[in-house]
Amino acid sequence: MGLAAAFIGGTMGTIAHTMNNAMRKVPLSRQPWLHVGYFFVGCWAGNAYVRLEKKMAEDINEIRADKGMPPMVGSGYWMRTDTEK
């Protein structure tokens, strides 16, 4: 999931810069180093989102365990939160 999230985030970062240039009606390839910069910022944001989502699922399951409730339905299938298996 990390590589896919990084690639999708990087693509979104590059698209954000390209759309910014398109809205300002300047050449799309203007300042190409920013394409690369926004790609890496997008990669970081994509991986940060995955870490945040995993932490939130763990926190929710911990709160549910404190209340005596079972974990979220299907949380072990769509995101592995336990490292014991």
Side-chain angles (χ1 to χ4, degrees):
M1 184 66 183
L3 185 60
F7 183 72
I8 291 170
T11 303
M12 295 303 294
T14 303
I15 289 172
H17 182 250
T18 306
M19 290 300 295
N20 186 9
N21 284 349
M23 287 187 288
R24 294 183 335 192
K25 295 185 179 181
V26 298
L28 297 180
S29 61
R30 186 175 181 192
Q31 298 175 332
W33 57 89
L34 287 179
H35 286 59
V36 176
Y38 282 121
F39 181 85
F40 286 120
V41 169
C43 288
W44 173 81
N47 283 325
Y49 178 76
V50 171
R51 285 192 307 268
L52 176 69
E53 189 174 18
K54 182 176 180 179
K55 178 146 176 39
M56 284 192 331
E58 289 171 352
D59 290 345
I60 289 171
N61 284 337
E62 184 178 328
I63 290 170
R64 290 176 65 93
D66 289 344
K67 292 183 178 184
M69 301 169 68
M72 288 189 308
V73 175
S75 63
Y77 295 110
W78 60 274
M79 180 178 293
R80 180 152 320 259
T81 57
D82 57 346
T83 56
E84 298 166 0
K85 292 182 180 178

